[in-house]
Amino acid sequence: RVRAQDDNATKVTEGQKRPQQQQQQQEELPIWVRREKERELQAQAKADLPWPLYLALSVIVAIAAVGSVFEYFDKNAVFGVIPPESPLWAPILGLFAFTGIPLSGNR
């Protein structure tokens, strides 16, 4: 029984030493190696679009959404294709207006 307890104690201390050893090995690496590893991890991460592109896309969506509101009140055809008499006319303009305005403000 004493041996079993001693074995468990050594297993726990070994498990506790491993993260410390890994941390010490990490600290022993030269700074340029750590920077290169960080850059590699960042490169593997999902690349984000640049902010000017987000701005341009949100402006286009906002213009389309506001234009849909004007199209609805003026009873114009959607893109010159769907006439106001069509049952799809109001839902399409509503979809553009109600989803476009919040979408243009979000990133």
Side-chain angles (χ1 to χ4, degrees):
R1 288 186 185 181
V2 174
R3 287 183 188 167
Q5 289 176 354
D6 289 341
D7 290 341
N8 288 338
T10 56
K11 288 180 184 176
V12 171
T13 56
E14 286 175 6
Q16 292 172 350
K17 288 181 184 177
R18 287 182 184 161
Q20 291 173 354
Q21 290 173 352
Q22 289 175 354
Q23 185 178 9
Q24 289 173 353
Q25 289 175 354
Q26 184 78 10
E27 290 174 359
E28 291 174 2
L29 293 175
I31 187 76
W32 60 87
V33 174
R34 280 187 264 155
R35 287 181 185 160
E36 287 178 13
K37 286 184 179 182
E38 288 176 8
R39 285 186 191 134
E40 288 174 1
L41 290 174
Q42 289 175 354
Q44 290 174 354
K46 182 181 173 186
D48 215 8
L49 293 176
W51 69 268
L53 187 58
Y54 275 117
L55 180 63
L57 293 174
S58 68
V59 166
I60 291 170
V61 170
I63 290 171
V66 172
S68 297
V69 173
F70 284 110
E71 293 289 321
Y72 179 79
F73 286 115
D74 290 339
K75 302 281 186 198
N76 291 331
V78 178
F79 302 119
V81 177
I82 301 173
E85 295 82 27
S86 173
L88 297 176
W89 179 78
I92 290 173
L93 288 177
L95 178 74
F96 288 157
F98 291 119
T99 60
I101 293 173
L103 182 66
S104 67
N106 288 340
R107 182 175 176 200

